[in-house]
Amino acid sequence: MATDDHQILALVLFSAFVAATLAVTAWAGRRRHGSAEEFYAGGRLFSPMENGFAIAGDYMSAASFLGISGLIALFGYDGLLYSVGFLVAWLLVLFLVAELVRNCGRFTLADVVAARMRRRPVRIAAGVSSVTVSVLYLVAQMVGAGSLVALLLGGTSQVARTWTVVGVGALMVFYVIGGGMRATTWIQIIKAVLLMGGAIALTALVLVRFHGDLGTLLTTAAQRSGHGTDFLAPGLKYGGSWTAQLDFLSLGLALVLGTAGLPHILSRFYTVPTARAARRSVVWSIGLIGSFYLMTIVLGFGAAAVLGTGAVRAANPAGNTAVPLLALDLGGGPDSTGGTILFAVVAAIAFATILAVVAGITLASSASVAHDLYGALRRGGRLERGAASREVAVARIAAAGVGAVAIGLALLAQDLNVAFLVGLAFAVAASANLPVLLYSLFWRRFTTRGAIWSVYGGLLPALVLVALSPVVSGNPAAIFPGMDFQLFPLENPGLVSIPLGFLFGWLGTVTSAEAPDGAARHAETEVRALTGAGAA
């Protein structure tokens, strides 16, 4: 639990970061000139290094810093799946989609798909899917914010968690409305630097505590976990029953395939001037992200070894507060000056992480509402004078609406692990967005019906299976513990919904009465994707 000194110092640091980000937003707001390209893509003026740091800042979320370390502290080896899955996913992004997406689109995923399809139905489908994924991802970040501040204010304050979620939602809306992509990018860059610095410092302190001996660290973690050597072997969380093993496979698929379908990650490729810069951005981000996820492994086992799994679970059943508690102990304990300072700094960095990520996700979702949904419905999608400025105005209004929905859902899911919640968002992204993206880029015969069936054929089953899963009802840890309408045994739907997304895309195409787009249009898209000719 936090003492008064922890609370005061952490709140001062929170306030300092919020003030700095508000200043960045005000600066970016003065520089904008109201164009869609400025609002959605920051004028495409960022360098590969800047964008690489921003991508890393977008990707290294509360799920990474708080959730993954907590899962490793609770379940040992099985928690490593998240670290490995999040990192391996970037290889798919680098080799398959980064450069092609930058060449084929302007602002959103729907731009890529609609390049060779009937624009209106495809934009609506892709827009609905992108908003859904973004809201699920937002929920995870806001749950992390609530857990963090509840720990800071005493660990049991439901009122504090509720108002924190509301406050984070209000701030993220302001960042998007006030500064657009330019402000969001600089906030993410600042956050990435702070997060890497905090993770490096904590990792070094853990290694110093165990004299640089990783074997001693792991042995101590196993002893204090309550599970013995089973803590260092697979199966503690995803072993035993056939449902647990299938859940393991389902989660792995979702993590590895989902990144390439995340709207807020894809939108980052449009903030650089060329496709080559987009690819170099991913290389920068892989270096940062890879280093960070290696450090989360040390932090997770370090929390188990220093605090004990029981203490981590007692503070937060989902393990979301393991890293701040580890910082408190490494700094000298609850009553020490060093512990107070380190706890407050880590808590502030985690809060900064959440604010930066939610700003990026909110911008991506509001862009989908305005550029895809509103753009498709406006007189059949025809361009009009002043349409771009009205579209930006709609995006700002949409940011407020998306924020309100995310706040409501986050209040329902406050007791779930944030990394687990992100796994659900990844599953939906891999089911609905990745199939239509790959088919559009690489399949010559792909049709409009195939695109629509692919999106809805992955999105709807994923959402239905989550609603009927143990996550929502049927057990004490569910969102509605007093109800039981569980019909689907797996917690993550990816094993079923991802193949369905690909299957429905193929089925819609082969049963379509319309002719494929033809060799000419596919060749045009292929040349543009590979060379960048005609790219925005």
Side-chain angles (χ1 to χ4, degrees), residues 71-103:
L71 283 173
I72 294 174
L74 295 180
F75 301 107
Y77 183 95
D78 280 7
L80 291 175
L81 173 65
Y82 286 88
S83 290
V84 174
F86 283 145
L87 180 56
V88 170
W90 273 104
L91 299 178
L92 183 67
V93 175
L94 174 62
F95 291 115
L96 278 185
V97 302
E99 187 173 343
L100 305 183
V101 165
R102 173 59 185 82
N103 285 338

Side-chain angles (χ1 to χ4, degrees), residues 56 61 77 189 223 291 317 333 373 381 403 409 417 420 476 484 498 515 519 523 535:
S61 64
Y77 183 95
I189 292 172
Q223 292 172 349
S291 302
L373 299 179
L409 292 175
N417 181 275
F420 169 74
D484 188 0
I498 294 173

Side-chain angles (χ1 to χ4, degrees), residues 136 247 250 420 424 427-428 431 456-473 479 485-501 504:
L136 287 173
D247 240 334
S250 185
F420 169 74
L424 295 182
V428 177
S431 303
Y456 292 127
L459 176 65
L460 295 179
L463 294 178
V464 170
L465 292 177
V466 169
L468 299 178
S469 74
V471 176
V472 177
S473 70
I479 295 176
F485 46 86
Q486 173 193 339
L487 296 177
F488 182 65
L490 305 184
E491 293 183 344
N492 191 292
L495 188 62
V496 176
S497 59
I498 294 173
L500 284 178
F504 276 104

Side-chain angles (χ1 to χ4, degrees), residues 150 155-163 411 414-415:
T156 58
S157 175
Q158 187 67 31
V159 173
R161 295 173 71 179
T162 299
W163 281 107
L411 295 177
Q414 289 187 67
D415 293 326

Side-chain angles (χ1 to χ4, degrees), residues 212-239:
D213 189 339
L214 292 177
T216 302
L217 169 63
L218 295 176
T219 302
T220 307
Q223 292 172 349
R224 301 203 62 191
S225 68
H227 300 287
T229 55
D230 290 342
F231 191 70
L232 304 179
L236 195 59
K237 180 174 175 60
Y238 297 109

Side-chain angles (χ1 to χ4, degrees), residues 348-417:
I349 290 174
F351 196 69
T353 295
I354 292 164
L355 288 180
V357 172
V358 296
I361 302 168
T362 305
L363 179 60
S365 57
S366 64
S368 293
V369 171
H371 186 63
D372 299 333
L373 299 179
Y374 171 76
L377 297 174
R378 183 188 62 239
R379 295 193 179 184
R382 293 196 300 272
L383 294 176
E384 310 162 3
R385 177 178 293 181
S389 60
R390 285 198 296 275
E391 187 176 291
V392 171
V394 170
R396 293 193 172 103
I397 296 172
V402 169
V405 172
I407 288 170
L409 292 175
L411 295 177
L412 290 174
Q414 289 187 67
D415 293 326
L416 298 180
N417 181 275

